[in-house]
Amino acid sequence: MDAQHTHARNLLKLIRDRVEAKEPPIVGYAVAATLMGLKGAAYARMIGQVCSRIDAASFVAGWPMLALHMVRKPDGGLNPASFEDPGWIPWEQEFKNEAQSHQWSVEQVDDVLSALDGLPDEGALSIWVGYLKRESQKPGFIRYNLHRKVKS
């Protein structure tokens, strides 16, 4: 198991505890790193990749982007860098709306954890590129997974 996956599991456990305690989102990647026992700002970029991996698991599980919702910028806003690839423009606002409005349960977070363990052994960026490729092969794949469990 690679470091990104291990850190994603650890952050997801922290998120699960926050959901269970009905605590607000974590504000800042440096804060998330510190809560994970890492030395704050030095790990901020890595935390971004970890959040992306959690969101990839959320997507494949059919839920909104959990990390986008639960790990915010220091000002409390959503991280705009989550959608740097122009391929995501058609769905960016839907992803953000779903992430901001969803009320998470512990069972749903556990579902994301199961999906996380089923992700391929590759970086988050590569996984998201694969999702875009699947959309090009099967139009509707992204919208279906974005709303699969939320709207059912």
Side-chain angles (χ1 to χ4, degrees):
M1 189 177 328
D2 72 354
Q4 189 181 91
H5 184 78
T6 300
H7 288 306
R9 285 186 58 80
N10 291 338
L11 181 55
L12 196 47
K13 289 175 186 173
L14 287 171
I15 290 170
R16 184 187 192 280
D17 291 345
R18 290 182 88 81
V19 167
E20 186 171 38
K22 298 185 183 347
E23 294 177 355
I26 298 166
V27 286
Y29 287 173
V31 172
T34 300
L35 290 171
M36 294 169 60
L38 304 170
K39 295 196 193 266
Y43 287 90
R45 183 171 174 83
M46 183 270 301
I47 294 296
Q49 295 165 358
V50 164
C51 286
S52 184
R53 188 172 187 84
I54 291 170
D55 286 337
S58 300
F59 178 77
V60 79
W63 294 111
M65 296 172 86
L66 174 58
L68 185 67
H69 175 82
M70 288 299 295
V71 185
R72 304 286 182 103
K73 291 176 25 176
D75 68 4
L78 298 180
N79 182 1
S82 299
F83 299 96
E84 285 183 328
D85 185 317
W88 291 103
I89 290 172
W91 305 280
E92 179 178 357
Q93 198 56 51
E94 281 180 83
F95 272 101
K96 288 178 179 179
N97 291 345
E98 292 290 344
Q100 287 182 301
S101 65
H102 190 72
Q103 299 298 310
W104 286 92
S105 71
V106 170
E107 294 78 18
Q108 293 167 354
V109 176
D110 289 343
D111 197 22
V112 173
L113 180 59
S114 293
L116 180 71
D117 288 338
L119 289 178
D121 190 18
E122 56 190 89
L125 179 60
S126 179
I127 292 169
W128 284 106
V129 167
Y131 293 161
L132 280 175
K133 184 176 180 182
R134 286 184 69 185
E135 173 67 25
S136 70
Q137 295 167 342
K138 185 178 179 182
F141 167 78
I142 290 173
R143 187 152 285 123
Y144 169 77
N145 278 291
L146 176 60
H147 298 289
R148 182 161 42 115
K149 290 189 178 173
V150 176
K151 302 296 183 199
S152 58

